Amino acid sequence: MTVSRAPSSILFGIVNLYYSIVQFCQVQLVFGRGLASESECVSMTKSESNPESEVESTKREIHHAGEEVRIGVFPCRCGKNIGAVVDIDEVAEFSRDLPGVVFVQDNRYTCADPGQKEIQVAINEHSLNRVVVASCSPTMHEATFRKAVKAAGLNPYLCIMANIREHVSWVHQSEPELATLKAKELIAMAVSKAATLEAQPEQDVNVTQAAMVVGAGVAGMQAAYDLAEMGYLVYLIEKQPTIGGNMAILDKVFPQNDCSICILGPKMVDIYQHPNIRLYTMAELESVDGYVGNFHVKVKQRPRFVDTDKCTACNDCVEVCPIDVPDRTDQNLSWRKAISIPFPQAVPSAYYIDVDTCLGMDLIRCGKCIDKCEQEAIKPEDTEQVIEFDIGVIILATGFNPADPRKTPRLGWGRYPNVITTLEFERLINAAGPTEGQLVRPSDYQEPKSVSVVQCVGSRDISTRSGCSNYCCAESVKCALLVKEHYPDTDITIFYQDLRMHGKYFEDVYRKAREQGVKFVRGRVGEIQQFPDTQNLRLSVEDTTHNELIMQEAELVLLSMGAEGTAGELPIPISTTEDSFYIESHPKLAPVDTSTAGIFICGGAESPKDIRDSVIQASAAAGRASVILQKGRYPIEALSAKIMQDLCSRCGSCVERCPYGAISQDGTGKFTVVSALCRACGTCAGDCPKGAIYMPNFTDEQIFSQIDIALGDNPEEKIVAFACAFCSYRGSDLAGVSRMQYPTNARIIRAMCSGRFATKFAQKAFEQDAGAVLYSGCHLPADCHFQTGNHFMAKREPRIRKWMERHGIADDRFRVEWVSAGEGKKWQGIMTEMSKVVERHKEELASRKVAPPKKKPAKKKAPAAKKTTPKKKAATKTRKKAPQKAAVKKTRS
Amino acid sequence: MTDTKTPEEIESIIESIRPCFQCGICASSCPVFRVAPEINPRHAIDEIVKTGVIEPDGTEWSCAYCLMCEQRCPMGVSLAHLLVAVKNISTEKGNAPEGLPEIIHSILSTGVIAQDSDLDKMREKYDLPPLKRPTAKEVRKVLELTGATDLLELYQSKGVGSD
Amino acid sequence: MKYAFFPGCTMAYRLPFVEKSIRLVAPHFNIELVDLPFTCCPEPNSVRSFSDETWLALAARNLALAEKSKLDVLTACTGCHESFMTAKHELDTHPDRKDAVNEVLGEIGMEYTGVSAVKHMHQVLFDDIGPEAIAEKVKRPLELRVVTHSGCHMLRPEAILQIDDCEAPVKFDGLVEVLGIEPLEYMDKTMCCGTGTRRANREASFAILREKMTSMKMVNPDAAVVFCPSCFISFESGQRIVNKTFGTDFKLPVYYYTELLAVALEIPGMVPIIKAHRVKGPVTASAPGVPGEGRPVEAKN
């Protein structure tokens, strides 16, 4: 822990004391890249890690060795969500005959309390030791069912799901027969995997009692304040020289039209003075390593060149500074100096020097400010600082940018001086703005007699952002009211497509605007042209209520700007939507969680929203984050790679592949995995030339058997699609949630990370005559949730293609794709396109009667033995033993 | 390869315009709507989406093909494609405007849109060489294979475009 | 640079003097023009409206012809340019349509593959040669104030044509500026001239022209400059009809860009060309015409 800035106040002294106590109390878990002494930290964690973490030989046995595999299958109708498409009775009947299955029970809602109870009862009554729930996506309910089986005494890792909703019923709505067939095969794949699932000891880790909030706009401020008030140490990181965000530059805020900075200013001071908040302005995230409870963060802080403690914001330096720079706060409508303060209420209340425009902080080049400053606050020697700290949770409140009006050129912003954005208007009408609150038009500084407001700029347009920006309707009405308030005689018209005044009190404001004579015309403005003599504007708009063209002349036009997402710019792999907003873990039930445990989102970073909603969401994120902090310990991934020493050739390639430094070599040359550091991405196993790395519950054999069953019937028609759990699998789920229909021939195999997709999986699938194979991971370069797994997967592609060439397999039958959790449409597109490839391949097979690439293995209906490893034989044995009549019980509730 | 729209093709055209949310940008950008208020592209789309059928009423030929609507549509609806389809259907129904079959006929006989042989004289005036022209046979072949000659016959039976 | 020259029906048969100006200018920029037995492009608003398939096949035939001679196509008419570019886009992005078209072309011993590019004269002058290189050759700056009219099909569809910003084009203005001409900003700069609906809705067509020219007139230009023969005719001949129909008094000379370019470069042979204009304007060609100059190169097959 190194904090470069010495805190000066007594308050900060207290913080330090508090913090050192926190540090003292918690066990330090160190991990991640770029650590100076990796061996040291390994030994540290090793001492408290699971002593059974290493497996010495291939003679590992699953914990129930010798015990009969007894699988229970629970197909769910999910009301009509699954039941209306998939024939669940048929599926249940089919499941009963699968090897190892001793009990089948269908249900209307398996996830509901009675459904869970039934699973628990079945586990006890039928001595089930494996559970397969065939319902929705594991992303949705895996945790639910694992909890349920745990309550019945079964290790949670012995429960697995078959996704027959997002991957079947929702995407094949008009093909019930093929959907039912697919559901059966997905269940068979899950059952075969279930047979060899291993129980995993549940582990948890300490949670560092501190939080980081990125972005100090109104949302970030609120989140930081809530956590700080609960007593947690909070690092608050802000890119700009002041906190306050977009709200700080607004004039009034709807619907009450109270003064924005008047309500925000005191909050900004509270943040600055809070003993539990460490504020870093002009700072950006450099890197984040680690995982929930144990993040290690590096923050880079740009030099301010002004000592915030000494500066009294007296303005002397500004008076002598010779350099004018367009003012960001005033939306470039006025000038500031190279040394400046963003606005009078800025926090910290100190100047900063814009180093790109400053002539030079020495007496030869300029140095006037240094000369003038009596406090000697100017520090020419200031340099960039790197601050490092450990935290347990992260809240992303990075906000949004106002949309760029240049992206809608038909409205003339930038060409016509009297077309301005609503944000520019906020500055013009603001008493602290460039005109001291006088509304004038930029071309001639005259008071406009007529003002038109254009709605939906940068929103609801596929060339900018197709979504609605949520706040702009109310913003426009507010602007109209502000004009009316100051200049009651102004003729003002709002051109809208749909006026969405949905918030609390909004309708009152809308009514007030109408009563005050604001005109509302339904119709979206097609173009704006400028009269050459007056520089007035002519708006062309169809009044869609009256089907007539209006060519309205206005002296000033306000463009009501939507929001532009900025998510995805941080070095944190949280999936974003196509328009760059962070994707929540669940849109209804976990709206501020993300797919990465311990990282939360709020405010404009999640979606465009107004101040009130931002604050609500910020408090929600702080609440969710505090749940983790307060518990103090957090359950972590129990899965961990194991090296089979008798197969290992000690090449060390796994060490390079591990992004967590979990694999190391001991004095004897032996490589071992430290389980507490392993995150189970499987990238090491994906590339191990000897197949010496064992990934529990994602073993080679399990994946092979899934491929086997997927290709049991009509393999040439099938797509074997490998999808990583965090991006691509969620992308495929989104296709389901969005009911995007695609052909039924894909069989999706889920792994933690695309780094696990070994070359041999594709080869195996093609040897089994698969029509096509897809490897899909998180987007390159930086989206991978295991840092570099996707890079290593990408490197395998040429090898696979060469192998295909040698075996006469058409190149287009294999595809590597990057699908994020927000790209359901892309997933649908890939599935559709690959189905066409498969179709062509099938036709080719039929016409040429070409022999398949390699010797065709005999077709097997059910998963059957392959004479390879002794392990497999054992599994087969259990299967042979299993087919005793399974009980099928039906429930209708 | 002929130009008679199948029900599937018509359905796919209608499908492509369903994203339209009736904002009116197309109409406000349309030069024809500006001077002839009875011709409203937004309205035309709404009719097709609502009724599910494409029934050309003659106004489709007023489109100046300036592509402004297509360029600005916030939903990416291709009005130009729609209008080409509507005009094609209109043509099939025998409703091509006066002069159009003559143009096709001109292309059929000369390859270009210029019937008057004196026009080459005008080129001579500026010391320009007569332009090379394709053989009548190959042009006819292309028009035959793509259904234009059949369509033309429809109009010739009505007494237009024949010589 | 050698191109298959595609003047288009309108220019070739109705404005041959404009075509002449292009052929006069070309050698000064090392542009060699090759004539091929092209058909009409064909014009989308008529042929494509009649039959989409016929339009696509004829356009593909023209492009295939250029491919055979291993030449890119140089267009002089924005209508032809848009027609080719849209057809090319259609063929290059829809393999099924391309196959169907090639089946037809196969019958006349041709094939479209998509290797030949299509460029408009405007692109060659602005993007390849560049305003600076043109400025160097200017001998007689023309002191005029003009409005430029790029024309619909030079600008749209923007994604396919990619010639200039379709809402606020600036390149054409840049080209006239280097001839010593002041381009004027005016309203409705990207608006249609009305040609497109002349056949079907004559009244609307001239009403559109009236709107367009009213906006032009607001800035009192000496002339309008165009890059399209159809727009040329629309403005030059159309304004008389507009005047008669709506009682306006437009008297705006119209030039195709290469005419002004040739005059500014003092290329001989421009006198009869300038004389051919129906609305007499401020531009005079001083150098006497030299017959026989600018004869097009014969295509070698």
Side-chain angles (χ1 to χ4, degrees):
Chain A
M1 170 73 198
T2 45
V3 177
S4 59
R5 228 162 251 282
S8 58
S9 67
I10 296 167
L11 283 175
F12 273 120
I14 296 166
V15 174
N16 251 2
L17 182 66
Y18 166 77
Y19 187 67
S20 49
I21 294 167
V22 169
Q23 261 190 313
F24 182 73
C25 295
Q26 77 199 34
V27 181
Q28 286 246 325
L29 263 186
V30 198
F31 45 81
R33 297 178 135 192
L35 266 156
S37 53
E38 221 145 84
S39 56
E40 188 187 311
C41 63
V42 167
S43 60
M44 268 173 69
T45 38
K46 224 177 174 177
S47 62
E48 63 158 40
S49 70
N50 189 341
E52 299 168 319
S53 64
E54 291 151 35
V55 168
E56 295 288 333
S57 78
T58 47
K59 288 184 203 111
R60 71 212 135 54
E61 284 297 338
I62 47 179
H63 87 298
H64 61 275
E67 172 193 49
E68 177 199 356
V69 170
R70 297 181 64 81
I71 303 173
V73 180
F74 298 86
C76 173
R77 290 174 203 275
C78 194
K80 282 188 173 175
N81 283 302
I82 299 172
V85 179
V86 175
D87 185 338
I88 289 294
D89 293 336
E90 199 182 319
V91 164
E93 211 50 44
F94 167 85
S95 305
R96 201 158 38 147
D97 294 335
L98 291 170
V101 174
V102 296
F103 179 76
V104 176
Q105 180 171 45
D106 68 305
N107 210 314
R108 187 165 286 173
Y109 291 105
T110 314
C111 62
D113 202 37
Q116 291 189 39
K117 282 248 167 62
E118 277 163 3
I119 294 177
Q120 291 163 348
V121 169
I123 289 171
N124 291 321
E125 280 184 4
H126 299 270
S127 310
L128 301 180
N129 52 23
R130 301 288 188 285
V131 168
V132 173
V133 183
S135 58
C136 50
S137 168
T139 311
M140 176 81 197
H141 271 320
E142 190 176 65
T144 310
F145 293 119
R146 281 185 168 177
K147 225 183 267 170
V149 303
K150 190 184 169 188
L154 200 61
N155 183 283
Y157 286 84
L158 299 175
C159 169
I160 190 179
M161 292 182 75
N163 184 352
I164 61 168
R165 192 178 72 175
E166 282 83 346
H167 284 175
V168 182
S169 63
W170 278 353
V171 289
H172 312 310
Q173 285 170 325
S174 56
E175 291 177 284
E177 276 170 34
L178 287 171
T180 303
L181 175 75
K182 182 174 177 181
K184 286 185 199 168
E185 293 190 5
L186 290 182
I187 292 169
M189 286 162 72
V191 165
S192 88
K193 184 176 171 177
T196 54
L197 282 177
E198 292 169 62
Q200 301 293 328
E202 288 185 276
Q203 298 180 15
D204 60 8
V205 291
N206 253 311
V207 174
T208 307
Q209 295 294 297
M212 170 172 73
V213 177
V214 187
V218 68
M221 284 164 53
Q222 184 67 43
Y225 189 76
D226 284 358
L227 285 170
E229 283 287 277
M230 290 177 214
Y232 299 109
L233 179 72
V234 181
Y235 295 91
L236 180 56
I237 312 300
E238 170 56 48
K239 191 154 69 168
Q240 298 300 328
T242 178
I243 62 173
N246 286 328
M247 183 179 170
I249 57 180
L250 300 179
D251 179 46
K252 300 287 189 325
V253 284
F254 60 75
Q256 289 83 3
N257 287 6
D258 30 2
C259 161
S260 185
I261 196 69
C262 310
I263 57 173
L264 187 68
K267 243 184 155 146
M268 290 163 67
V269 176
D270 285 348
I271 294 288
Y272 194 61
Q273 293 179 343
H274 204 289
N276 289 349
I277 295 176
R278 296 283 180 91
L279 171 64
Y280 296 99
T281 52
M282 298 180 77
E284 285 171 70
L285 278 193
E286 174 82 355
S287 67
V288 176
D289 289 315
Y291 52 93
V292 53
N294 299 272
F295 292 108
H296 182 75
V297 178
K298 274 188 200 161
V299 167
K300 213 192 249 170
Q301 188 174 35
R302 303 191 299 279
R304 192 180 189 104
F305 300 107
V306 175
D307 190 325
T308 50
D309 294 325
K310 288 184 185 166
C311 176
T312 58
C314 69
N315 208 40
D316 285 355
C317 53
V318 170
E319 277 164 15
V320 295
C321 179
I323 297 299
D324 288 318
V325 188
D327 185 61
R328 185 182 174 275
T329 302
D330 276 346
Q331 302 296 298
N332 301 337
L333 291 168
S334 68
W335 301 93
R336 59 173 174 83
K337 297 290 188 172
I339 185 162
S340 67
I341 188 164
F343 44 88
Q345 302 85 347
V347 164
S349 180
Y351 289 78
Y352 74 100
I353 290 176
D354 177 2
V355 77
D356 295 330
T357 51
C358 170
L359 286 179
M361 281 160 271
D362 54 72
L363 295 174
I364 298 164
R365 287 179 293 175
C366 176
K368 288 193 171 70
C369 53
I370 303 173
D371 227 21
K372 190 82 182 175
C373 182
E374 285 176 6
Q375 300 292 320
E376 295 181 349
I378 292 163
K379 304 190 290 183
E381 72 285 356
D382 203 1
T383 54
E384 184 179 279
Q385 308 283 325
V386 175
I387 303 124
E388 294 188 41
F389 48 83
D390 294 322
I391 46 166
V393 291
I394 297 173
I395 294 177
L396 303 178
T398 45
F400 58 73
N401 281 340
D404 183 350
R406 284 169 298 192
K407 289 183 184 163
T408 312
R410 62 190 165 83
L411 300 178
W413 187 93
R415 298 200 299 281
Y416 309 141
N418 298 329
V419 176
I420 63 173
T421 66
T422 37
L423 211 50
E424 288 171 324
F425 169 82
E426 295 275 356
R427 296 313 297 169
L428 285 176
I429 202 85
N430 189 317
T435 56
E436 293 174 340
Q438 219 181 339
L439 180 63
V440 295
R441 51 186 225 150
S443 70
D444 51 13
Y445 307 118
Q446 296 301 305
E447 205 177 277
K449 296 276 167 270
S450 55
V451 177
S452 288
V453 186
V454 180
Q455 284 288 98
C456 295
V457 185
S459 312
R460 306 184 77 193
D461 185 331
I462 54 164
S463 68
T464 51
R465 231 189 109 243
S466 50
C468 168
S469 289
N470 184 312
Y471 57 79
C472 358
C473 284
E475 160 83 10
S476 291
V477 174
K478 175 194 80 182
C479 291
L481 279 170
L482 288 179
V483 174
K484 280 286 183 193
E485 185 184 311
H486 295 277
Y487 309 93
D489 296 334
T490 312
D491 184 50
I492 180 153
T493 312
I494 294 179
F495 294 99
Y496 66 95
Q497 183 179 343
D498 302 288
L499 205 70
R500 294 176 171 171
M501 301 297 281
H502 49 73
K504 194 174 182 182
Y505 312 120
F506 286 16
E507 199 61 35
D508 304 339
V509 182
Y510 180 24
R511 178 182 170 161
K512 187 174 166 194
R514 292 198 307 273
E515 284 170 353
Q516 294 198 1
V518 175
K519 292 172 199 156
F520 289 86
V521 176
R522 195 187 74 189
R524 201 147 159 196
V525 176
E527 63 167 26
I528 295 174
Q529 300 274 335
Q530 177 183 268
F531 286 98
D533 45 353
T534 58
Q535 290 188 294
N536 287 351
L537 291 321
R538 189 197 71 199
L539 297 87
S540 299
V541 53
E542 188 205 353
D543 177 344
T544 56
T545 313
H546 301 100
N547 294 349
E548 63 182 21
L549 182 69
I550 295 179
M551 293 187 120
Q552 171 124 347
E553 187 167 342
E555 293 184 10
L556 183 70
V557 172
L558 312 185
L559 304 183
S560 185
M561 303 309 300
E564 216 168 73
T566 59
E569 288 170 6
L570 301 179
I572 298 178
I574 303 293
S575 296
T576 64
T577 56
E578 275 173 62
D579 50 351
S580 300
F581 292 93
Y582 286 118
I583 294 179
E584 62 281 2
S585 175
H586 188 278
K588 287 111 190 164
L589 303 178
V592 299
D593 293 31
T594 66
S595 59
T596 302
I599 302 184
F600 303 89
I601 48 176
C602 64
E606 184 265 338
S607 67
K609 56 174 67 68
D610 64 18
I611 293 159
R612 176 188 158 97
D613 285 354
S614 293
V615 170
I616 291 172
Q617 207 178 27
S619 285
R624 293 286 300 152
S626 73
V627 169
I628 292 177
L629 292 172
Q630 193 270 337
K631 277 187 177 168
R633 293 193 72 81
Y634 193 87
I636 54 158
E637 187 53 64
L639 300 176
S640 153
K642 281 150 203 178
I643 295 176
M644 297 181 260
Q645 298 300 342
D646 55 346
L647 292 181
C648 175
S649 67
R650 303 191 172 176
C651 70
S653 70
C654 51
V655 177
E656 290 162 35
R657 274 152 189 79
C658 181
Y660 305 106
I663 308 177
S664 58
Q665 199 171 15
D666 66 12
T668 67
K670 202 168 82 176
F671 287 95
T672 50
V673 180
V674 177
S675 64
L677 296 184
C678 176
R679 307 281 311 279
C681 64
T683 308
C684 54
D687 274 330
C688 178
K690 294 288 174 194
I693 297 180
Y694 180 76
M695 275 310 309
N697 293 356
F698 291 95
T699 64
D700 287 356
E701 285 143 330
Q702 284 166 345
I703 292 173
F704 281 159
S705 82
Q706 283 174 291
I707 296 173
D708 255 344
I709 294 165
L711 299 174
D713 286 324
N714 305 323
E716 70 285 350
E717 289 176 5
K718 302 273 179 60
I719 303 165
V720 180
F722 292 87
C724 72
F726 283 97
C727 284
S728 294
Y729 196 90
R730 282 164 190 262
S732 71
D733 278 350
L734 181 62
V737 172
S738 316
R739 311 295 197 276
M740 292 167 171
Q741 306 299 300
Y742 56 81
T744 59
N745 58 343
R747 302 291 176 264
I748 300 171
I749 297 176
R750 175 171 170 259
M752 293 291 277
C753 173
S754 61
R756 177 71 188 99
F757 308 161
T759 312
K760 59 189 168 194
F761 298 157
Q763 292 171 346
K764 159 90 175 168
F766 283 124
E767 281 169 0
Q768 303 274 89
D769 300 341
V773 176
L774 168 72
Y775 278 14
S776 185
C778 307
H779 276 275
L780 290 172
D783 279 13
C784 181
H785 289 66
F786 301 95
Q787 299 186 17
T788 49
N790 52 355
H791 287 264
F792 286 108
M793 187 268 268
K795 283 185 188 162
R796 293 171 203 146
E797 183 181 355
R799 286 211 298 276
I800 295 172
R801 294 209 180 279
K802 261 195 204 128
W803 178 90
M804 289 168 65
E805 204 186 328
R806 280 205 304 279
H807 290 80
I809 300 166
D811 200 56
D812 60 356
R813 288 169 58 198
F814 177 61
R815 234 167 119 166
V816 172
E817 281 291 349
W818 316 107
V819 177
S820 80
E823 292 176 324
K825 204 168 176 79
K826 185 172 180 184
W827 182 265
Q828 177 196 31
I830 293 167
M831 288 294 118
T832 311
E833 285 164 29
M834 289 189 76
S835 294
K836 281 183 190 151
V837 170
V838 168
E839 205 53 47
R840 271 206 297 279
H841 165 63
K842 240 178 75 188
E843 279 167 24
E844 214 176 275
L845 277 184
S847 67
R848 292 199 207 156
K849 295 226 161 65
V850 169
K854 261 198 169 179
K855 235 176 57 198
K856 211 170 160 177
K859 275 189 185 174
K860 285 147 201 149
K861 258 242 145 105
K866 290 211 73 192
K867 49 264 134 188
T868 42
T869 58
K871 173 82 183 77
K872 231 344 238 266
K873 265 184 198 156
T876 317
K877 239 186 243 163
T878 54
R879 282 196 194 104
K880 271 184 192 149
K881 242 194 278 173
Q884 42 186 273
K885 193 81 176 161
V888 177
K889 199 166 122 191
K890 292 198 181 192
T891 14
R892 295 274 142 77
S893 46
Chain B
M1 184 184 176
T2 54
D3 209 3
T4 317
K5 298 263 178 295
T6 62
E8 291 76 37
E9 281 171 319
I10 289 178
E11 181 47 38
S12 92
I13 292 161
I14 296 176
E15 187 91 355
S16 75
I17 61 170
R18 286 209 181 103
C20 170
F21 55 14
Q22 295 285 306
C23 68
I25 286 181
C26 53
S28 63
S29 304
C30 177
V32 181
F33 181 59
R34 180 160 159 184
V35 298
E38 69 281 7
I39 294 162
N40 184 333
R42 174 187 62 83
H43 219 248
I45 290 213
D46 195 35
E47 278 300 309
I48 295 174
V49 171
K50 270 200 309 216
T51 61
V53 289
I54 300 179
E55 269 175 6
D57 61 357
T59 53
E60 66 278 4
W61 295 100
S62 286
C63 166
Y65 194 69
C66 74
L67 303 179
M68 200 67 116
C69 50
E70 167 141 340
Q71 183 68 45
R72 289 178 176 167
C73 177
M75 284 289 110
V77 171
S78 177
L79 273 91
H81 266 85
L82 172 72
L83 276 160
V84 165
V86 176
K87 288 184 207 173
N88 286 174
I89 292 166
S90 188
T91 299
E92 287 160 24
K93 293 191 172 173
N95 296 329
E98 220 180 286
L100 181 49
E102 283 81 354
I103 285 177
I104 307 301
H105 190 263
S106 166
I107 290 177
L108 182 64
S109 49
T110 65
V112 295
I113 307 179
Q115 283 126 316
D116 194 338
S117 56
D118 281 349
L119 288 172
D120 266 338
K121 273 199 188 126
M122 215 170 133
R123 293 179 62 80
E124 276 167 37
K125 188 177 158 194
Y126 297 98
D127 200 26
L128 288 165
L131 282 178
K132 292 183 169 184
R133 290 196 184 166
T135 63
K137 221 174 99 187
E138 53 178 331
V139 176
R140 172 166 285 277
K141 192 89 203 167
V142 173
L143 263 64
E144 271 171 12
L145 289 171
T146 54
T149 45
D150 289 348
L151 280 171
L152 202 55
E153 259 168 41
L154 176 75
Y155 290 88
Q156 275 166 344
S157 65
K158 287 185 181 177
V160 281
S162 55
D163 53 353
Chain C
M1 193 63 199
K2 204 157 130 183
Y3 291 100
F5 182 48
F6 195 94
C9 307
T10 310
M11 182 177 280
Y13 300 108
R14 296 181 67 185
L15 297 176
F17 57 91
V18 171
E19 181 186 330
K20 179 71 180 178
S21 78
I22 293 176
R23 291 189 190 265
L24 285 176
V25 162
H28 292 264
F29 296 98
N30 296 321
I31 299 171
E32 198 181 314
L33 303 176
V34 179
D35 292 316
L36 294 175
F38 290 121
T39 63
C40 173
C41 55
E43 207 266 298
N45 217 12
S46 50
V47 181
R48 193 179 184 189
S49 301
F50 195 78
S51 159
D52 194 30
E53 310 298 335
T54 306
W55 163 77
L56 193 64
L58 280 177
R61 183 198 158 276
N62 283 335
L63 294 170
L65 208 57
E67 285 181 13
K68 232 181 193 173
S69 307
K70 295 193 165 50
L71 290 172
D72 289 343
V73 179
L74 177 65
T75 55
C77 166
T78 60
C80 302
H81 186 72
E82 190 268 347
S83 183
F84 279 147
M85 290 299 284
T86 306
K88 197 170 159 44
H89 179 78
E90 199 73 13
L91 293 164
D92 295 348
T93 55
H94 295 87
D96 49 330
R97 292 202 84 182
K98 185 169 137 184
D99 291 348
V101 160
N102 273 333
E103 225 167 88
V104 173
L105 293 187
E107 294 285 315
I108 56 169
M110 296 181 88
E111 192 196 354
Y112 170 85
T113 64
V115 291
S116 285
V118 181
K119 278 189 194 176
H120 188 274
M121 194 65 197
H122 173 284
Q123 284 174 295
V124 171
L125 288 169
F126 192 95
D127 300 333
D128 298 352
I129 295 163
E132 295 79 12
I134 296 171
E136 278 171 23
K137 290 184 193 284
V138 170
K139 291 185 182 149
R140 177 153 73 98
L142 306 172
E143 283 165 15
L144 300 172
R145 298 166 75 251
V146 305
V147 284
T148 60
H149 169 78
S150 301
C152 300
H153 302 137
M154 172 107 87
L155 301 174
R156 297 178 291 267
E158 191 182 37
I160 294 174
L161 302 184
Q162 294 187 3
I163 294 184
D164 204 347
D165 182 333
C166 77
E167 296 287 356
V170 291
K171 290 184 179 175
F172 195 175
D173 284 355
L175 282 175
V176 302
E177 234 168 356
V178 296
L179 307 183
I181 300 170
E182 183 193 344
L184 303 166
E185 267 311 318
Y186 67 105
M187 288 178 104
D188 296 317
K189 192 177 182 182
T190 60
M191 187 187 175
C192 173
C193 68
T195 303
T197 185
R198 196 134 304 163
R199 188 171 38 249
N201 194 338
R202 195 178 151 83
E203 202 183 325
S205 155
F206 287 112
I208 291 168
L209 183 61
R210 175 200 63 204
E211 294 289 298
K212 175 86 189 186
M213 293 194 73
T214 304
S215 293
M216 285 177 158
K217 207 187 163 189
M218 281 164 117
V219 294
N220 293 317
D222 296 326
V225 190
V226 297
F227 245 124
C228 171
S230 295
C231 302
F232 186 107
I233 293 171
S234 181
F235 287 121
E236 195 186 52
S237 312
Q239 59 183 289
R240 285 185 308 153
I241 300 162
V242 169
N243 287 345
K244 229 188 283 173
T245 318
F246 301 105
T248 48
D249 60 343
F250 296 121
K251 198 171 177 300
L252 187 65
V254 185
Y255 299 98
Y256 186 92
Y257 179 73
T258 50
E259 296 181 289
L260 297 181
L261 178 60
V263 172
L265 264 57
E266 296 198 320
I267 295 172
M270 284 305 294
V271 172
I273 292 173
I274 297 299
K275 242 173 101 178
H277 285 234
R278 291 183 185 183
V279 182
K280 303 298 169 206
V283 175
T284 51
S286 53
V290 183
E293 220 180 81
R295 182 172 285 280
V297 177
E298 299 291 313
K300 292 168 205 107
N301 273 344

